[in-house]
């Protein structure tokens, strides 16, 4: 029996024959994820292990550790930076069947879930009990909590409610050698020992396998409202958002769309902007009383009009709100329809640098003769520039590569970074030295070495 | 020239003669901190290095690293767990002269400060510009930001505004070997590489020396109110707080006082509770509009009365509010006046376990015939039980030791932990294995080994 067959047999002994996949037709679906990485046979895992319990994950990890088998963990594979792609072969550890909501604890306002629970399933289960799990990455209908934590996913409501990291109270983690640890707990304040919870969050599966999480919940806000603000300049749009935050008027969402984004919406969605509109912000606000919603909407109106808004629509009607939001919800598809290909990015800059980086990005697009749409989370300084082109044209592809390189450098040059919510994975690994100093990288690698001395956890990622 | 003299000369070459202290009379003041640890000559450092710049810290660390000299970092020495006590000699690295507020950045709502800035100085400087730095440990008038970060200090307003960790966006850290790294940044969302910012927070000076910090600010809330709620049982008090949070009515403070605390207040402060009162909660609320304050106060009133409150006073007048709060502000002194000695602790439990742990703590005090006052942050499940006794009596001291041991075990037994905001240091190190599994400790020690392979940073602490 050759070594590969031996490994398969050992893994099958742990999981049973149905949950160890090794036929090429089965493993192919685990060779790519939601990132723009091109399909490659080199990315096909040797086997896929579908675990259902922490004990199984522990046994699989112990075996892989003993035999130096690379392990790439995967939720639903919706990641945007190649984090779930097994670039060095080995096994994919699939956790999408660990999808149990273990507990919704009202007294402590926390939920305990397995890693494979879909974000929306948790959010819906909470809402049904009057509770609120805020993080809402745009993939939330299918992405899993484990993946959200491993990438520290953000979302639209981060400006008021923060990102995934802000909700993780405790984690069960299987270490590289199969040991199971529980870090954190249901206490709100906890300064006993190092913040290992925080270390695992955003570590992209390179330090341990997250199998369960305890997440903080909030009371669901009782009243909501939406505003659509149109401007004749992107500076006015950004300044309106900043002015609101500085006054303590913190919207639940503040989504920016630039001129090209608006054109896409006008062309493909049910939307018309006033003449000369070149920027739009969609706001959501929420409060525990109707007056709170109205006063926030009026506060935003005053600021938007002071910044020359050409239109300021508000509503507290859920159907009208959904109609205003469909422009943003479907924007990615509408923008994509403008060209054969769309390459969407994710940069994060200090909020004060928003207008500068938008100007820089447009200059980059002009320089390389590429069409660019910019939209994203203005309240966080987290933008998703989308280059529109035909990737089949080698010359356009070459210009795109140059433009992406300049995009990341522009973000870093104004005090920002490579990624606000998608992670580094393999997609942005080539630029990691642009964003992090050699000393920070070495410090990070020493932590990696400490937790995964054999380097079997998601090899080839981040650094 | 002996080795010690050589070291002194080298450090003096870096800092000049006035900022390297080695006379016993000078170093004595650096042998203790705000913890209950007994004075000991064994804790006197060999020398104290008072640094004023990051470059100086870097040079001192590089020298100490080369020569295996232990380094204990110190802000103002107000820590409550012995974190700043140099238990193995070597040098104390004093950062209290690095006290410059470098920048208050309105556009990004952030401040950049040196580590030695006092918390209150930052809070006041922000408030003068209409901004709000929320973390308010009770030591905030003299404790330093660097110490707050190293211990992840909490405070009264954590129930609404979180703890120090929630405000740290970026850190400048001098590593064990003198290398200077900058981690994090002014971007709100950042998923580039590992969360090293979070790793240094709460690491008690054992992983690196924090020299500068970039801190998130909020707009100062425009309107405030205070409520005093008296109850005939501690369960009713705790349940009122939980019910408020579950409704989304999040007060800016929810401070619990038990019967003994109330007796101390009645005896030594200007305070009278209604007959049969055995528990009290002081609430602060804040909002951007006066109606928001009033509606929160009325919401709390309804809940308190539903839980049988014997008194519910409210005010929005700052002077009246201060008068209500003086009971809490001076409570520690009032409680201390009940006995020759007061040993105050800091445990943190899931909020749902508050009444259970209060019952357990009272049973422990009864069992060991000790008087006990319990007060603390009900909204966070973070309690400060204070044992009242005469430490000069060896028998009482012995009973206290047993009671403290049982206190920590009781906290852990109900899902809580050793410390909510004071840290472990040396004071709670004997119980670390009660709270953390052997695997978690080994994982933590591997991180320590990665960042400080020679073990010179604050040796003898936490684990």
């Amino acid at each position: 029996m050759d070594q590969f067959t031996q490994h398969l047999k050992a893994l099958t002994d742990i999981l049973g024959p149905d949950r160890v996949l090794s036929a090429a037709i089965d493993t192919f679906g685990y060779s790519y994820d939601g990132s723009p990485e091109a399909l490659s046979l080199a990315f096909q895992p040797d086997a896929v292990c579908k675990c259902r319990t922490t004990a199984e994950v522990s046994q699989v990890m112990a075996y892989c550790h003993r035999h130096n088998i690379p392990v790439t963990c995967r939720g639903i594979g919706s990641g945007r930076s190649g984090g779930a792609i097994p670039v060095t072969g080995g096994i994919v550890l699939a956790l999408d069947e660990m999808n149990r909501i273990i507990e919704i604890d009202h007294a402590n306002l926390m939920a305990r879930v397995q890693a494979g629970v879909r974000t929306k399933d948790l959010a819906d289960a909470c809402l049904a009990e009057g509770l609120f799990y805020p993080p809402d990455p745009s993939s939330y209908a299918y992405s899993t909590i484990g993946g959200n934590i491993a990438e520290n996913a953000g979302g639209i409501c981060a400006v008021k409610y923060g990102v995934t990291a802000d909700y993780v109270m405790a984690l069960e983690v299987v270490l590289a050698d199969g040991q199971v640890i529980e870090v954190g707990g249901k206490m709100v304040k906890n300064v006993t020992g190092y913040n290992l919870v925080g270390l695992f969050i955003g570590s992209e599966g390179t330090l341990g396998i997250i199998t369960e999480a305890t997440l903080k919940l909030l009371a669901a806000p009782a009243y909501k409202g939406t505003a659509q603000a149109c401007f004749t300049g992107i500076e006015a749009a950004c300044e309106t958002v900043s002015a609101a935050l500085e006054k303590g008027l913190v919207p639940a969402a503040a989504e920016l769309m630039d001129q090209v984004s608006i054109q896409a919406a006008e062309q493909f969605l049910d939307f018309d902007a006033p003449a000369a509109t070149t920027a739009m912000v969609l706001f959501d606000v929420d409060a525990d009383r109707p007056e709170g919603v109205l006063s926030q909407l009026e506060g935003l109106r005053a600021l938007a009009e002071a910044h020359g808004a050409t239109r300021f629509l508000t509503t507290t009607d859920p159907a009208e709100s959904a109609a205003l939001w469909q422009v943003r919800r479907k924007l990615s598809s509408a923008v994509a329809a403008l060209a054969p290909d769309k390459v969407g990015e994710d940069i994060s800059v200090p909020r004060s640098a928003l207008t500068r980086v938008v100007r820089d990005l447009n200059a980059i697009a002009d320089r390389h003769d590429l069409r660019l749409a910019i939209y994203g989370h203005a309240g966080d300084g987290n933008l998703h520039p989308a280059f529109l082109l035909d990737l089949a044209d080698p010359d356009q592809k070459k210009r795109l590569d140059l433009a992406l390189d300049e995009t990341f450098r522009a973000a870093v040059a104004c005090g920002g970074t490579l990624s606000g919510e998608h992670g580094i994975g393999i997609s942005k690994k080539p630029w990691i030295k642009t964003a992090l100093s050699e000393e920070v990288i070495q410090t990070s690698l020493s932590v990696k070495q400490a937790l995964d001395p054999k380097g079997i956890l998601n090899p080839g990622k981040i650094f």
Side-chain angles (χ1 to χ4, degrees), chain A:
Chain A
M1 198 156 61
D2 69 6
Q3 205 183 33
F4 178 68
T5 312
Q6 269 176 18
H7 291 333
L8 277 188
K9 184 183 175 311
L11 295 168
T12 305
D13 286 347
I14 299 168
L15 299 173
D18 295 346
R19 292 194 280 125
V20 180
L21 316 177
S22 60
I25 195 163
D26 292 327
T27 60
F28 173 73
Y30 296 82
S31 69
Y32 57 88
D33 66 4
S35 70
E37 298 304 318
L39 289 177
S40 165
L41 281 177
F43 293 164
Q44 213 154 332
D46 296 306
V48 174
C49 292
K50 297 177 74 69
C51 291
R52 285 188 186 150
T53 67
T54 301
E56 288 176 354
V57 174
S58 170
Q59 286 174 270
V60 168
M61 286 308 306
Y63 183 83
C64 290
H65 190 255
R66 213 151 48 234
H67 297 278
N68 296 302
I69 300 170
V71 178
T72 300
C73 190
R74 183 185 182 94
I76 206 71
S78 57
R80 303 273 292 134
S81 54
I85 299 179
V87 293
T88 60
I91 70 158
V92 162
L93 190 70
L95 299 189
D96 56 310
E97 293 186 14
M98 286 185 69
N99 58 1
R100 201 157 57 85
I101 297 174
I102 299 165
E103 177 195 25
I104 294 180
D105 174 352
H106 281 254
N108 290 302
L109 290 175
M110 289 181 199
R112 176 94 181 165
V113 300
Q114 287 187 307
V117 166
R118 293 182 189 213
T119 315
K120 183 175 189 303
D121 290 343
L122 172 62
D124 288 348
C126 290
L127 211 55
E129 303 193 19
L131 299 175
F132 179 31
Y133 176 69
D136 61 347
S138 58
S139 58
Y140 88 121
Y142 42 93
S143 63
T144 63
I145 292 291
N148 288 180
I149 296 171
E151 302 290 333
N152 190 13
I156 280 177
C157 74
V159 55
K160 179 166 183 174
Y161 291 106
V163 295
T164 303
D166 298 311
Y167 292 84
V168 184
M169 304 302 297
L171 292 174
E172 180 188 76
V173 177
V174 179
L175 298 175
D177 63 0
Q179 287 188 82
V180 182
I181 62 172
E182 173 78 28
V183 289
K186 280 191 180 176
M187 42 288 184
V188 176
K189 286 179 177 169
N190 180 357
V191 294
T192 301
Y194 295 154
N195 176 16
L196 296 180
V197 175
L199 184 61
F200 288 112
I201 297 169
S203 66
E204 306 194 13
T206 66
L207 299 180
I209 307 290
I210 295 162
T211 45
E212 285 186 19
T214 300
L215 303 164
K216 187 168 78 170
L217 306 176
L218 303 176
Y223 300 95
K224 297 185 184 187
T226 296
Q228 181 203 77
C230 295
F231 299 90
T232 55
I234 204 149
E235 292 81 3
C238 293
E239 282 162 15
T240 299
V241 175
S242 284
L245 295 174
E246 202 176 327
K247 279 174 68 88
L249 204 176
V250 184
E255 290 294 299
L256 179 72
M257 277 148 272
D258 78 343
Q259 188 165 14
V260 176
S261 305
I262 291 168
Q263 285 164 0
E266 291 188 316
Q267 193 167 343
F268 300 108
L269 305 173
D270 179 20
F271 179 69
D272 268 306
T277 296
T278 59
M280 182 167 87
V281 181
L282 276 171
F283 293 103
D284 259 354
V285 299
D286 59 32
D288 55 350
R289 291 171 317 126
E291 312 87 85
V293 167
L294 295 176
S295 82
Q296 288 179 68
L297 291 175
E298 287 317 301
L300 291 173
R301 179 192 299 280
L303 290 170
E305 290 177 350
H307 287 86
T310 54
R311 179 198 278 166
F312 193 87
L313 299 177
T314 66
T315 181
T316 56
D317 175 77
E320 286 179 18
S321 168
L324 292 179
W325 271 99
Q326 60 95 18
V327 176
R328 175 66 182 89
R329 298 275 174 212
K330 298 180 183 170
L331 186 65
S332 181
S333 308
V335 166
L338 290 172
D341 293 292
K342 184 193 96 166
V343 177
E345 266 310 329
D346 166 47
I347 60 167
S348 184
V349 300
R351 208 166 45 234
S352 64
L354 261 182
T355 57
R356 172 180 157 187
V357 85
V358 166
R359 200 165 50 231
D360 291 349
L361 294 178
N362 281 315
I364 290 166
D366 285 350
R367 194 151 58 235
H368 298 290
D369 195 19
L370 292 168
R371 196 163 185 201
L372 172 69
I374 302 176
Y375 50 94
H377 318 302
D380 312 314
N382 181 202
L383 293 180
H384 297 308
F387 289 98
L388 302 164
L389 74 170
D390 182 355
L391 283 171
D393 173 356
D395 180 60
Q396 291 191 46
K397 171 77 176 73
K398 204 169 123 191
R399 284 187 272 132
L400 171 73
D401 290 342
L402 293 170
L404 286 178
D405 181 66
E406 291 175 22
T407 294
F408 299 132
R409 292 180 195 280
V412 173
C414 64
T417 193
L418 307 177
S419 177
E421 53 187 18
H422 292 175
I424 302 302
I426 50 174
S427 302
K428 297 196 179 176
K429 184 178 160 176
W431 289 277
I432 193 76
K433 289 188 180 177
T434 308
L436 302 182
S437 71
E438 190 55 37
E439 292 81 5
V440 168
I441 292 173
Q442 286 309 319
T443 303
S444 304
L445 290 176
S446 75
V447 171
K448 165 74 175 175
Q449 173 71 18
L451 268 75
D452 180 23
K454 290 187 165 189
I456 61 168
L457 285 170
N458 210 1
K461 303 297 167 68
I462 309 180
F463 303 106

